[in-house]
Amino acid sequence: MAAMGRSNRADRGTGRGRTAAQPQPAATGPGGRTHAQGPLSRPVGSGLAELRPDRDRPAAWSLLIDGAPQSMVDLADPSHLGFEYQRRLGHLIDLAAPPGRPLTVLHLGGGALTLARYVAATRPRSRQQVAEIDTALTELIRTELPLERGWQIKVRGADARSVLERTPEGSVDLVITDVFSGARTPAHCTTVEFAALAARALAPGGWYAANIADGSALPFARSQIATLGAVFPELCLVADPAVLRGKRFGNLILAAAHTPLPIADLTRRVATDPTLARVEHGRPLTDFAAGAVPATDTTATPSPLPPPTAFS
């Protein structure tokens, strides 16, 4: 959930690059917390949660946990993805099936439920399950930033891996992992065994996608590429070139599948974004991860702590 990069402020409200179905209007308007009520801070299981009004969008709110930006929700337009890492995951959601076709999605990590809202808005009748261990955070989000009636989104207050272990084989079209404890991904959600559980849950032709964070020499990202490569034959990575060069700490999106990924379409969509990014796959991705060792349940460590300046 932690968003190390910039929000897509330059593209707010434009919807550039989207070909998915238009969101369905809320039956009773956006509802929920209004900007007139001001920001809100409340202790939750994972730390101090803050909801801050967005200065450019009158129904939008950013969620922070202990000062780390997690996600942004626009109650009036749930198809808007304000953080660059969520926009890149949105491209994968758009390409997972023809526009408007419902999907069955498992979200590991919920936060403000931004991506679940996006799927529900752009792909009506989709069935979604969210694993979010912080039940106090979920209660806060449901109260202050409520979901629209009719959306088929079930939130389970449980550990992401435990929910994945109980997911029936071949039952979901898309598994999205966005699991952070504070600003770090827990070790048990970064292993070959975890990836194998995700592969087991996927229906034929399904995709796995993950948001991770790393910096400097990118040892964690390289290990995650090797880890997914031990389970899935098809991989790609999307990230800011500055992050790939180790110039700054930031988010990287990994996608994996047993069938070829739509690299050309993904590259075109990423090129429409207001923030620069590269799509790596094939030999360049293999070379990028050369020498990295897959993480296992006995060797894995959490993702690295971001530097003190990551959120400044």
Side-chain angles (χ1 to χ4, degrees), residues 30 76 174 210 216 240 261:
L174 192 59
S216 189
D240 186 315
L261 292 161

Side-chain angles (χ1 to χ4, degrees), residues 148-183:
E148 293 182 15
R149 292 198 303 269
W151 284 352
Q152 298 181 60
I153 300 172
K154 180 182 294 186
V155 184
R156 296 191 179 278
D159 175 77
R161 180 154 171 174
S162 69
V163 171
L164 185 58
E165 289 170 345
R166 297 195 299 271
T167 302
E169 182 175 357
S171 62
V172 298
D173 301 309
L174 192 59
V175 175
I176 299 175
T177 298
D178 191 13
V179 182
F180 282 81
S181 177

